[in-house]
């Protein structure tokens, strides 16, 4: 019997357990969803901050202003369909927020970090879950950096969006599945040891707050331990059953976030 292979991107693992019905639409049925303006703003910030960090890593540092040109070029020349009317955000306001966050990152966050790599490609990892089922973990650290620390490395994922920082503290809620998968894939790729993960938050609201979370180890969440089952094992059960239940209570149950919204009977 041929093996069934389910490829799960690190960035999508959390959404599998938030609303499996939406996850199936986007990752198995390949239903396309137009990118919202605020999401494209985040992509543009990631591009410019990565250019700044990579230049320093290459030994040919550039100024924050020079790297900001990458933000402008990316922001105004999207390589995918962007819905500019989907967010309550004007184009010029989005540009201002992006440039402010880029400048703050270069001045306040980057100097604190000793990066090992930026946008590191990761080798896929096949996990045999029995019953002819393979879960293939995939991912690229296209929005993350690897930071050198005592005892190993930390996966630092740059996140953009709203509600990332509360009372001055960067939230790590719901970040474990993606970061845990990154940790596993990083170790699989180069045999290194990761001591944890953390979030760099660039909040794309008018307050333009920035911050870095505490370091946390997300691998046990994925692999399990003597106290609890891991998410990979839980996902295997779901794939074996072929069941992808909906979650109309999800905070992302909205036409702006779900590619299946127009045909989904569960959100009303």
């Amino acid at each position: 019997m041929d093996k069934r292979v389910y490829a799960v991107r690190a960035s999508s693992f959390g959404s599998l357990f938030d609303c499996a019905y939406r996850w199936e639409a986007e990752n198995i049925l390949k239903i396309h969803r137009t990118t919202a303006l605020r999401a494209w703003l985040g992509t543009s910030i990631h591009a410019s901050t990565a250019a700044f960090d990579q230049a320093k890593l290459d030994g040919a540092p550039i100024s924050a202003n020079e790297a900001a040109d990458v933000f402008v070029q990316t922001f105004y020349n999207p390589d995918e369909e962007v819905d500019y009317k989907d967010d309550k955000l004007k184009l010029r306001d989005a540009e201002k927020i992006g440039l402010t966050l880029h400048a703050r990152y270069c001045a306040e966050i980057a100097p604190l970090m000793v990066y090992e790599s930026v946008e590191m490609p990761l080798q896929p990892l096949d996990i045999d879950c029995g019953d002819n089922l393979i879960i293939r973990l995939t991912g690229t650290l296209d929005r993350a950096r690897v930071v050198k620390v005592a005892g190993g490395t930390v996966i630092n994922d740059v996140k953009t969006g709203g509600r990332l920082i509360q009372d001055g503290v960067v939230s790590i809620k719901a970040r474990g599945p993606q970061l845990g998968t990154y940790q596993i894939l990083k170790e699989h790729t180069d045999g290194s040891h990761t001591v944890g993960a953390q979030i760099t938050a660039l909040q794309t609201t008018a307050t333009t707050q920035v911050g870095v979370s505490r370091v946390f180890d997300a691998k046990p969440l994925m692999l399990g331990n003597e106290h609890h089952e891991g998410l990979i094992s839980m996902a295997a059960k779901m794939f074996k059953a072929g069941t992808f239940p909906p979650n109309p209570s999800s905070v992302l149950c909205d036409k702006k976030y779900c590619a299946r919204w127009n045909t989904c009977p569960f959100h009303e």
Side-chain angles (χ1 to χ4, degrees):
M1 182 182 295
D2 293 336
K3 289 187 179 293
R4 293 178 294 159
V5 179
Y6 283 87
V8 184
R9 290 178 294 105
S11 58
S12 80
F13 220 121
S15 65
L16 173 63
F17 292 94
D18 179 57
C19 180
Y21 199 64
R22 182 179 72 244
W23 187 92
E24 179 194 28
E26 297 177 355
N27 295 276
I28 296 179
L29 303 179
K30 304 299 183 182
I31 299 176
H32 174 71
R33 177 169 56 87
T34 303
T35 301
L37 173 58
R38 200 176 294 274
W40 186 248
L41 168 61
T43 297
S44 304
I45 295 170
H46 282 100
S48 63
T49 55
F52 180 81
D53 291 335
Q54 188 63 58
K56 183 178 179 180
L57 200 59
D58 291 340
I62 58 178
S63 69
N65 285 340
E66 290 173 311
D69 290 340
V70 176
F71 169 82
V72 174
Q73 289 299 316
T74 304
F75 185 67
Y76 285 106
N77 297 280
D79 57 3
E80 56 190 81
E81 185 181 358
V82 177
D83 185 352
Y84 293 99
K85 299 179 181 179
D86 195 40
D87 278 295
K88 296 178 180 179
L89 182 65
K90 295 180 180 179
L91 197 62
R92 290 295 182 185
D93 291 339
E95 179 186 14
K96 181 179 179 180
I97 289 171
L99 289 173
T100 300
L101 287 173
H102 169 83
R104 292 199 64 181
Y105 172 86
C106 294
E108 300 174 35
I109 305 296
L112 303 177
M113 304 295 178
V114 179
Y115 292 121
E116 175 186 295
S117 66
V118 178
E119 300 187 349
M120 177 183 178
L122 300 172
Q123 295 178 6
L125 173 62
D126 284 359
I127 300 174
D128 191 335
C129 300
D131 298 326
N132 293 301
L133 177 74
I134 299 290
I135 289 182
R136 178 170 294 158
L137 300 182
T138 67
T140 302
L141 296 177
D142 55 348
R143 299 193 177 194
R145 285 77 158 138
V146 180
V147 184
K148 296 179 183 180
V149 298
T153 58
V154 168
I155 307 299
N156 182 293
D157 195 16
V158 180
K159 292 293 186 187
T160 57
R163 298 187 300 276
L164 298 176
I165 303 173
Q166 300 176 4
D167 298 324
V169 178
V170 175
S171 173
I172 61 173
K173 184 178 180 180
R175 305 303 185 188
Q178 180 178 4
L179 273 296
T181 304
Y182 280 154
Q183 284 185 253
I184 293 169
L185 288 175
K186 172 68 165 60
E187 295 179 356
H188 169 67
T189 297
D190 62 11
S192 65
H193 173 63
T194 63
V195 298
Q198 65 182 166
I199 301 296
T200 288
L202 307 179
Q203 190 157 290
T204 55
T205 59
T207 60
T208 58
Q209 297 180 75
V210 301
V212 180
S213 79
R214 65 177 177 86
V215 174
F216 61 101
D217 186 6
K219 283 191 299 180
L221 183 69
M222 305 305 297
L223 301 175
N225 56 30
E226 66 272 20
H227 302 296
H228 64 80
E229 186 178 7
L231 290 182
I232 293 174
S233 175
M234 292 181 182
K237 293 177 180 178
M238 190 183 301
F239 293 148
K240 289 176 183 179
T243 301
F244 299 92
N247 178 19
S249 296
S250 167
V251 296
L252 298 179
C253 188
D254 187 279
K255 63 182 178 180
K256 182 165 60 175
Y257 305 115
C258 180
R260 207 170 196 166
W261 175 268
N262 290 333
T263 59
C264 175
F266 302 107
H267 58 69
E268 298 295 349

